[in-house]
Amino acid sequence: MAAPQQFFSYVDGNAGSFIQRLAKAVAIPSVSGDGSSRKHVFAMAEFLAHEMEALGIQVNSVDLGNHVLDGEELPLPPVILGSFGHDPKKKIILVYGHYDVQPALVSDGWDTDPFVLSPDEKTGRMYGRGASDDKGPLLGWLNVLEAHIKSNIELPVNLRFCFEGMEESGSEGLDELINSRVGPGEFFDGVDCVCISDNYWLNDRTPCVTYGLRGIAYYKVQVSGPQRDLHSGVFGNTVHEPMTDLIHLLGQLVSTKGEIKIPGISSLVAPVTADEMKRYEVLDYTVADIEHSAGAQVAISDNKTRVLMGRMREPSLSIHGIEGAFSAPGAKTVIPARVSGKFSIRLVPNMTPENVDILVFRYLQEEFAKLGTKSALKIENLHGGKPWLADPNHWNYRAAIKATETVYKKTPDLTREGGSIPVTLTFAEALGVNVLLLPMGRGDDGAHSTNEKLDRSNYIEGTKLLGSYLHEVGIISKS
Amino acid sequence: MAAPQQFFSYVDGNAGSFIQRLAKAVAIPSVSGDGSSRKHVFAMAEFLAHEMEALGIQVNSVDLGNHVLDGEELPLPPVILGSFGHDPKKKIILVYGHYDVQPALVSDGWDTDPFVLSPDEKTGRMYGRGASDDKGPLLGWLNVLEAHIKSNIELPVNLRFCFEGMEESGSEGLDELINSRVGPGEFFDGVDCVCISDNYWLNDRTPCVTYGLRGIAYYKVQVSGPQRDLHSGVFGNTVHEPMTDLIHLLGQLVSTKGEIKIPGISSLVAPVTADEMKRYEVLDYTVADIEHSAGAQVAISDNKTRVLMGRMREPSLSIHGIEGAFSAPGAKTVIPARVSGKFSIRLVPNMTPENVDILVFRYLQEEFAKLGTKSALKIENLHGGKPWLADPNHWNYRAAIKATETVYKKTPDLTREGGSIPVTLTFAEALGVNVLLLPMGRGDDGAHSTNEKLDRSNYIEGTKLLGSYLHEVGIISKS
Ligand SMILES: [Zn+2]
Ligand SMILES: [Zn+2]
Ligand SMILES: [Zn+2]
Ligand SMILES: [Zn+2]
């Protein structure tokens, strides 16, 4: 049976109190990337644990030890593990969320205090740091549980919660924790599938479920020559200049049309199936949406499928900048002695940081040799992560699609995303189960930007969506 | 008659007191580029004016008004104009120097206090900011005058002094002052030639006189696309990336061998004469010297003449850096929305900022069009200056060469320099007379670097050189 009507009624009837819960959470500036806010991240963990315990969840706040941030040793915020239900006849659903947020200052350009949830009655938008990323979705799960308890509806699944406080700062310690708790009798033992609500619809109209993420391989290419920076008047046209060499090298990486020039990359990319191709064609997302979101008419093609595939299932190569060169305003006449180009490649199946590394290193070395310079080359892989792809025909996805149709009266877009959410891959690999990304917010929420918001309707209907999803999973377990 | 023996004896006999004079000057931290040091620049002007008046020079410290530095309105240090001698039978020689210095902090890596002249008795090196650039040479002129007065030797020329306090910060106000004082009866009226001692030998062995300087044209090439920085995960391979476009564009400017690829540039360069060619061949400066000075084996050729011509009489193009891209350490996955490449071209006769601008703008626009990108291009010339070339066969040069041979028992290298000293061109054009660059210091003095030094022998023999030069000019005037 799908989610009962009392559940929906309770959510509608208690929207105000749910928004109050979100307001309390937004009021705690749990910025993980700024050492001076660390106490607020801990306060947020306590607030959450308290809310969870009040709902009858067994809570275990796991201490992850210390780490060093900007030279300062700091305690890591705990990972909050929670359990609700131990019925062997029901599936065990693991939900993940994070209670830390990105930094936010009024002086960055916020129109309201970022740490006061500020609803705009006319548009229904509720502004505040973390409203959409990821406090709204995380509290959505608590709202669902409250609705069931207060309405005396039996929860159709066993729930496990994994809420972390360092997601915006590299999820330090999380992978180790997960991998240490997967054995028999451990916290993650027996989980049937995972649901993560920490992404967004493609647009502001159509809900989606997401079954893929790109990986990344990030490179630093250093070219060095003189022992120290030189004056271009004195040394121009007498020595090999590392900047000239680096610019030539970076120019061999990718065409202005986005084609990666590194031999062997394209043959690593899994071919498109007809089934997959159709998914891009039906997505409610246009070239105009991409350009609206970039703020300018700069799409790499007029062909919607080409553009969407460029984001979702093709690799990309972006040159981010150069370290060690003159980067300030003004006109300095320096020949920099040592410059490092930074670029990264977004990975898709069947690319891995390892098989891409081999191609990148070999190509850069070959192209550098062609330059005939006396400068020296050094290549480093700064970090890497594999792409993730789930089977969108799995029951976990079928449940999410059904729930979306129930709540939004619309078939959700079936999407893959261009960025990375590393924990997705960790869960998939450590638990060996299907992982689903089920977003609450819209594409224009501005996570990580100024004036982050969550629409009231997304919060309330999103809470219904999460609850309905559990019931759809429950139906499958019983059938 | 060449400089009399009493002059040389006086200089040798008073070396200690001349070094004391330099020590007093170095002790005044007259850093023109730092507003908080401005009072010291004024103190230095007062010190100088006082020394000059004590020698009987008529001094006029010219107020140049105010300027704005880092948002702060500050009074400009005066230009000190001085006159000594009004004998119509003698030539009028204008000497230029600057009494301001580059910034210096012990924490930059100085081994001694930069504002305490610190002689190393073993090597004869005297360390201190401004020792070589340009307090030593400037005080050299006062030493010469003192030696003549105290030894009762008649000065063979009329002297005019022009000492500025803003050379290290763009010589603000100087050009206007010079141009306003060239008319009949004005300060610069009747000047027969100019001698500037504010450059260096090529090496640490052989004195030189310098008859040419390169000019410069400095460009900022901005490529813009998205309205704001984008996330490479979300937007990689969906939009045209300004960094990719800019890297391709900058890659079209110059080869790794230093050849400028902009059509039309090479045909602006004046052809080499046989006479000029011979000068490079005999210079006491090798590829090994260049590489020693760059601190690495990175010379653009093994051919000495090619390398020296690259610095002295060929243009060069250096890419200095990129503004607006990711330039910090670490790994940020940004697609920068607007990036500006900075590059400059060193100009030689017959290049001018104007004729080069036309070629650069047209070429960049054409190459950008070929990229087929939707990004936008904007090109700016940030600043420019013409090259300068004097006739090394002029009597002003013959006098300097003769004086060098007398003092150092060596024929000086006849050099052109790769950088710019804008006041050289201003004097040449405003006064219409021959300008000579007659250095006191050595190529390894480290002007603008940590541990700047002037060798004791260069200060003392250099003082003799400046005096001898005046006598050689005097011979010519009488003959
Ligand atoms: Zn998030
Ligand atoms: Zn986030
Ligand atoms: Zn100088
Ligand atoms: Zn200087």
Side-chain angles (χ1 to χ4, degrees):
Chain A
M1 196 184 73
Q5 193 51 48
Q6 307 101 287
F7 167 65
F8 296 119
S9 307
Y10 185 91
V11 174
D12 283 328
N14 291 273
S17 123
F18 291 163
I19 291 170
Q20 275 314 306
R21 177 177 271 143
L22 181 57
K24 278 185 209 166
V26 167
I28 305 170
S30 51
V31 178
S32 57
D34 168 13
S36 69
S37 296
R38 186 56 53 91
K39 58 182 178 295
H40 302 302
V41 187
F42 276 87
M44 184 66 203
E46 268 180 56
F47 165 81
L48 256 191
H50 186 265
E51 292 276 308
M52 291 165 76
E53 280 164 351
L55 291 167
I57 300 170
Q58 282 174 280
V59 172
N60 177 15
S61 290
V62 183
D63 179 6
L64 298 181
N66 291 359
H67 76 137
V68 175
L69 181 68
D70 297 331
E72 191 189 1
E73 183 157 357
L74 291 169
L76 283 164
V79 168
I80 304 175
L81 299 178
S83 298
F84 189 94
H86 295 275
D87 185 340
K89 295 192 300 296
K90 295 174 184 170
K91 286 208 184 308
I92 303 177
I93 311 301
L94 172 67
V95 303
Y96 162 91
H98 64 90
Y99 61 84
D100 63 320
V101 296
Q102 285 278 323
L105 297 168
V106 173
S107 58
D108 294 339
W110 283 74
D111 296 328
T112 57
D113 183 333
F115 298 108
V116 173
L117 189 72
S118 306
D120 178 331
E121 296 304 332
K122 224 162 57 194
T123 60
R125 294 174 165 192
M126 305 186 296
Y127 294 94
R129 174 56 86 221
S132 183
D133 180 20
D134 185 36
K135 290 178 173 175
L138 189 157
L139 296 180
W141 294 112
L142 305 194
N143 298 342
V144 166
L145 199 54
E146 178 189 315
H148 281 75
I149 292 165
K150 294 290 178 67
S151 311
N152 252 318
I153 309 165
E154 188 189 343
L155 203 68
V157 297
N158 301 305
L159 274 179
R160 298 294 176 267
F161 302 88
C162 177
F163 295 151
E164 69 158 321
M166 282 296 287
E167 198 274 343
E168 302 292 6
S169 302
S171 291
E172 270 195 73
L174 182 67
D175 280 10
E176 295 76 2
L177 173 79
I178 293 170
N179 283 303
S180 74
R181 303 278 178 114
V182 293
E186 297 280 359
F187 179 79
F188 295 105
D189 185 26
V191 164
D192 290 294
C193 68
V194 182
C195 180
I196 299 175
S197 186
D198 188 21
N199 63 316
Y200 308 91
W201 300 353
L202 284 179
N203 50 35
D204 59 358
R205 306 176 296 269
T206 306
C208 72
V209 297
T210 300
Y211 68 100
L213 293 168
R214 293 196 287 193
I216 190 169
Y218 198 110
Y219 297 96
K220 177 177 175 180
V221 191
Q222 184 190 83
V223 180
S224 59
Q227 200 178 35
R228 60 183 173 283
D229 287 358
L230 303 177
H231 186 280
S232 68
V234 181
F235 285 95
N237 206 356
T238 73
V239 295
H240 289 282
E241 301 189 12
M243 248 325 246
T244 302
D245 300 330
L246 179 64
I247 293 286
H248 280 271
L249 199 56
L250 296 178
Q252 298 307 316
L253 292 171
V254 61
S255 81
T256 50
K257 301 281 174 17
E259 299 129 350
I260 298 175
K261 294 186 188 176
I262 302 164
I265 291 282
S266 62
S267 58
L268 290 176
V269 178
V272 201
T273 63
D275 188 34
E276 186 197 337
M277 193 68 162
K278 214 154 58 186
R279 281 183 217 133
Y280 302 112
E281 288 162 5
V282 301
L283 285 189
D284 180 18
Y285 204 52
T286 65
V287 170
D289 286 321
I290 292 263
E291 295 191 329
H292 176 77
S293 152
Q297 298 190 2
V298 291
I300 210 152
S301 163
D302 297 332
N303 183 301
K304 167 188 163 182
T305 307
R306 155 71 183 89
V307 174
L308 291 183
M309 286 172 69
R311 167 167 167 180
M312 298 182 180
R313 68 106 53 228
E314 295 291 339
S316 63
L317 191 154
S318 296
I319 303 169
H320 307 296
I322 295 173
E323 181 183 344
F326 171 57
S327 60
K332 195 173 166 185
T333 55
V334 66
I335 296 175
R338 188 169 63 212
V339 289
S340 299
K342 310 279 182 73
F343 72 93
S344 67
I345 303 175
R346 296 283 166 174
L347 310 184
V348 296
N350 302 309
M351 299 164 80
T352 65
E354 293 72 27
N355 64 26
V356 167
D357 264 12
I358 294 169
L359 300 176
V360 168
F361 277 65
R362 185 169 58 204
Y363 179 65
L364 286 174
Q365 280 152 356
E366 282 171 6
E367 291 299 311
F368 191 72
K370 288 183 198 164
L371 295 180
T373 175
K374 293 182 186 164
S375 302
L377 175 70
K378 185 178 153 199
I379 313 166
E380 276 177 273
N381 178 321
L382 294 190
H383 68 81
K386 284 192 283 189
W388 165 76
L389 192 64
D391 173 10
N393 297 313
H394 188 275
W395 54 259
N396 196 20
Y397 280 81
R398 293 208 314 275
I401 293 166
K402 196 82 193 297
T404 307
E405 289 168 344
T406 303
V407 173
Y408 286 105
K409 320 290 180 218
K410 251 188 178 178
T411 299
D413 278 335
L414 207 52
T415 71
R416 292 164 65 172
E417 270 304 339
S420 308
I421 308 176
V423 71
T424 309
L425 194 68
T426 305
F427 282 134
E429 297 197 330
L431 309 186
V433 299
N434 184 279
V435 180
L436 158 75
L437 297 184
L438 182 58
M440 174 180 272
R442 302 183 185 189
D444 64 353
D445 279 359
H448 298 209
S449 296
T450 52
N451 299 318
E452 177 182 348
K453 58 88 179 168
L454 178 64
D455 290 80
R456 181 194 158 101
S457 67
N458 282 60
Y459 184 51
I460 302 307
E461 301 307 305
T463 293
K464 292 180 191 169
L465 172 67
L466 299 180
S468 295
Y469 156 72
L470 297 181
H471 281 276
E472 297 297 343
V473 169
I475 292 168
I476 292 160
S477 19
K478 284 172 186 161
S479 67
Chain B
M1 194 182 74
Q5 193 51 49
Q6 305 102 287
F7 167 65
F8 296 120
S9 306
Y10 186 93
V11 174
D12 282 328
N14 291 273
S17 123
F18 290 162
I19 292 170
Q20 275 312 305
R21 178 177 270 142
L22 181 57
K24 278 185 208 163
V26 167
I28 305 171
S30 52
V31 178
S32 57
D34 169 13
S36 69
S37 296
R38 186 55 53 90
K39 58 182 179 294
H40 303 303
V41 187
F42 275 88
M44 184 66 203
E46 268 179 56
F47 166 80
L48 256 191
H50 186 265
E51 292 276 308
M52 291 165 76
E53 280 164 351
L55 292 167
I57 300 170
Q58 280 173 280
V59 172
N60 178 16
S61 290
V62 183
D63 180 5
L64 297 180
N66 290 0
H67 76 139
V68 176
L69 181 70
D70 297 331
E72 190 189 1
E73 181 157 0
L74 292 168
L76 283 163
V79 169
I80 303 176
L81 300 178
S83 299
F84 189 92
H86 293 277
D87 185 340
K89 295 192 299 296
K90 295 175 184 168
K91 286 209 185 309
I92 303 177
I93 311 301
L94 172 67
V95 302
Y96 162 91
H98 64 90
Y99 61 84
D100 63 320
V101 297
Q102 285 279 323
L105 297 170
V106 173
S107 58
D108 293 340
W110 282 74
D111 296 326
T112 58
D113 183 334
F115 297 108
V116 173
L117 189 72
S118 306
D120 179 331
E121 296 304 332
K122 221 160 60 194
T123 60
R125 293 173 166 192
M126 306 187 293
Y127 294 94
R129 174 54 87 221
S132 184
D133 180 19
D134 185 38
K135 290 178 174 176
L138 190 157
L139 296 180
W141 293 112
L142 305 193
N143 299 341
V144 167
L145 199 53
E146 178 189 315
H148 281 75
I149 292 165
K150 294 289 178 69
S151 312
N152 253 321
I153 311 165
E154 188 188 344
L155 204 68
V157 298
N158 300 306
L159 275 178
R160 299 292 175 267
F161 302 88
C162 177
F163 294 152
E164 70 158 321
M166 282 297 287
E167 197 275 343
E168 303 293 6
S169 302
S171 291
E172 270 194 76
L174 182 67
D175 281 9
E176 295 75 4
L177 173 79
I178 293 169
N179 283 303
S180 73
R181 303 277 177 115
V182 292
E186 296 280 0
F187 179 78
F188 294 107
D189 186 24
V191 163
D192 290 295
C193 68
V194 182
C195 180
I196 299 176
S197 187
D198 188 22
N199 63 316
Y200 309 92
W201 301 353
L202 284 179
N203 51 36
D204 58 359
R205 307 176 294 269
T206 306
C208 72
V209 297
T210 301
Y211 69 101
L213 294 167
R214 293 196 288 193
I216 191 169
Y218 198 112
Y219 298 96
K220 176 177 175 179
V221 191
Q222 184 191 82
V223 179
S224 59
Q227 200 178 34
R228 61 184 171 283
D229 288 358
L230 302 177
H231 187 279
S232 68
V234 180
F235 286 94
N237 206 355
T238 73
V239 295
H240 288 281
E241 301 190 13
M243 252 318 252
T244 302
D245 299 331
L246 179 64
I247 292 287
H248 280 272
L249 199 56
L250 296 177
Q252 298 307 314
L253 291 172
V254 61
S255 81
T256 50
K257 301 281 175 14
E259 299 129 349
I260 299 176
K261 294 186 189 176
I262 302 164
I265 291 282
S266 63
S267 56
L268 289 176
V269 179
V272 200
T273 63
D275 189 35
E276 187 197 337
M277 195 68 163
K278 214 154 57 186
R279 282 183 217 134
Y280 301 112
E281 288 162 5
V282 301
L283 286 188
D284 181 18
Y285 204 53
T286 64
V287 170
D289 286 321
I290 292 262
E291 294 190 330
H292 177 75
S293 151
Q297 297 189 4
V298 292
I300 210 150
S301 163
D302 298 332
N303 182 300
K304 168 189 164 183
T305 308
R306 155 71 184 90
V307 174
L308 292 183
M309 287 172 69
R311 166 166 165 181
M312 297 182 180
R313 69 107 51 227
E314 294 292 337
S316 63
L317 192 155
S318 296
I319 302 169
H320 307 296
I322 295 173
E323 181 183 345
F326 171 56
S327 60
K332 195 173 166 186
T333 55
V334 66
I335 296 175
R338 188 169 63 212
V339 289
S340 298
K342 309 278 181 74
F343 72 93
S344 67
I345 303 176
R346 296 283 167 176
L347 310 185
V348 295
N350 303 307
M351 299 165 80
T352 64
E354 293 71 28
N355 65 26
V356 167
D357 264 12
I358 294 169
L359 300 175
V360 168
F361 278 64
R362 186 170 56 205
Y363 180 65
L364 287 174
Q365 280 152 357
E366 283 171 5
E367 291 299 311
F368 192 73
K370 287 183 198 164
L371 295 180
T373 174
K374 292 181 186 165
S375 302
L377 175 70
K378 186 178 152 198
I379 313 166
E380 275 178 273
N381 177 321
L382 293 190
H383 68 80
K386 284 193 284 188
W388 165 77
L389 193 63
D391 173 10
N393 297 313
H394 188 275
W395 55 257
N396 196 21
Y397 279 82
R398 291 207 316 273
I401 293 166
K402 197 83 191 297
T404 307
E405 289 169 344
T406 303
V407 173
Y408 286 104
K409 320 290 179 220
K410 251 189 181 179
T411 299
D413 278 336
L414 206 53
T415 71
R416 293 165 64 171
E417 269 305 339
S420 309
I421 308 177
V423 71
T424 310
L425 194 68
T426 305
F427 282 134
E429 297 197 331
L431 309 186
V433 298
N434 183 279
V435 180
L436 159 75
L437 297 184
L438 183 58
M440 175 180 272
R442 301 184 185 187
D444 64 352
D445 279 358
H448 296 208
S449 296
T450 52
N451 300 317
E452 177 182 349
K453 58 89 179 168
L454 177 64
D455 290 80
R456 180 194 156 102
S457 66
N458 281 59
Y459 184 50
I460 301 307
E461 301 306 305
T463 292
K464 293 180 191 169
L465 172 67
L466 299 181
S468 296
Y469 157 72
L470 297 181
H471 282 275
E472 296 297 343
V473 168
I475 293 168
I476 292 159
S477 18
K478 285 172 189 161
S479 65

